[in-house]
Amino acid sequence: MDSAELDALLTREGLALLDALGDVDSADDVARTVSRLRAAGHSPELVSAVVGQARLRQRATAKFGEFADRMLFTRAGLEQATRMSVSVHHARRMRQAGIERVADLGCGIGGDSLAFAALGMGVLAVDADPVTAALAAYNLAPFRAEGAGVEVRAARAEEVPLDEVGAVWIDPARRTAGHGETARVAAADYSPPLDWVFDLAGRVPAGVKLGPGHDRDALPEHAETQWISVDGSTVELVVWTGALAREGVRRSALVLRGDDAHELTAAADTADEPVRALGAFLHEPEGAVIRARLIGDVARALDAGPVAQGIAYLTGDAAATSPFVASFRVRETLPADPKPLAKALRARGIGTLEIKKRGVDVDPATLRKRLSLKGDESATLILTRIDGRRTAILADRVPRA
């Protein structure tokens, strides 16, 4: 979205047109809607803006639920925004630490600021891009209208006075600038720079949002590092400092699934259990648990151990599971070569197959085509490496704890 489209959208006519537009589900819908609006005399800038926003609102439902229907987005801003379910947990931590006013530096479209304001905190939301800041101001307008101490500024994070805030939330830009297609950049090119970010976080209570694969050796030594998984996907790493870091906690894995939240904490990385022979059950730890290096604690709770050194599958004979793993009951091992594997699956009437892998170079989509599955039965196929050999394990999912 450029400034001309934004100016056209942020008018009474533009916003009313957007709210009346309804769903635009396909490329054909887009073409028909654009033709209809242009024939009705609307400007090209307004038509482009409202149709683009309608599409973005549909995509945003996955992150923002019903709130998406009253928000405005850029494509890049939506891709980089924190899910509302995660933002709420960030805001609760701020609130529990007694924070009354927070600076959201690199606020994007305002997702985290919405959660902070919803829990009664004053917010200074800052973004260096004027268009993005304008959209954040619109998204936060209900709280600004209520006089809740919510302010939005278009400015660089490094230039904003922080005298009147109790904590900062920092989401450094990890992609190239722009409102549409963007590309990832190296940590050395984040904006604001990580050296500045971590220096500030050492002086002011802070939460710093980073990608879950961020180099662990480059994280502050005395901070709390929290990895977060949502519905099976590891979505972010947060570095908490000062009053926002919990005493005695240096590693944590927060697992969100639907409305349920479970957390595993430790004072440091935990020791792994010894390798075990394949047992009656196999467990796949959540990505947040793996990233936080807390697999050992999960293994001990399940009376399990890894199937091989460096492979994040756990195995054991105890009929147990936990919120921190997906568990499978092992049926048998099968040949790993595609041809005999396909024959074995057909003999068992398996036509629906979930394929999972760790430690092997296999493309599940390509393998699925080669298997030519037929039958009414379903199962999970787990491909991994045990005793240095590729192994195929046929299993059934166990209901989650």
Side-chain angles (χ1 to χ4, degrees), residues 67 70 84 87-95 99-104 107 109-125 136-152 169:
F67 292 99
R70 61 150 304 276
M84 185 61 74
S87 297
V88 168
H89 283 271
H90 300 333
R92 285 175 180 164
R93 183 182 288 231
M94 293 274 187
R95 184 76 274 176
I99 303 302
E100 296 182 356
R101 184 169 174 79
V102 57
D104 184 355
C107 68
I109 58 174
D112 283 296
S113 288
L114 281 170
F116 299 145
L119 289 191
M121 283 174 276
V123 180
L124 171 59
Y138 177 85
N139 293 335
L140 290 163
F143 295 101
R144 295 166 64 218
E146 293 172 2
V150 175
E151 178 186 356
V152 181
W169 173 258

Side-chain angles (χ1 to χ4, degrees), residues 343-354:
K343 182 178 179 180
L345 293 173
R346 285 195 296 271
R348 289 155 179 77
I350 295 173
T352 302
L353 188 67
E354 175 188 29

Side-chain angles (χ1 to χ4, degrees), residues 276-284 305 307 313-320 326-334 348 379-382 384 386 391-398:
R276 292 195 184 190
L278 183 64
F281 294 89
L282 188 141
H283 311 281
E284 180 184 35
V307 297
Y313 282 136
L314 304 173
T315 189
D317 292 320
S327 294
F328 304 86
R329 185 184 298 274
V330 174
R331 290 195 198 179
E332 57 185 318
T333 58
L334 296 175
R348 289 155 179 77
T380 298
L381 182 69
I382 300 167
T384 190
I386 298 178
T391 303
I393 303 166
L394 193 65
D396 298 296
R397 275 189 176 268
V398 174

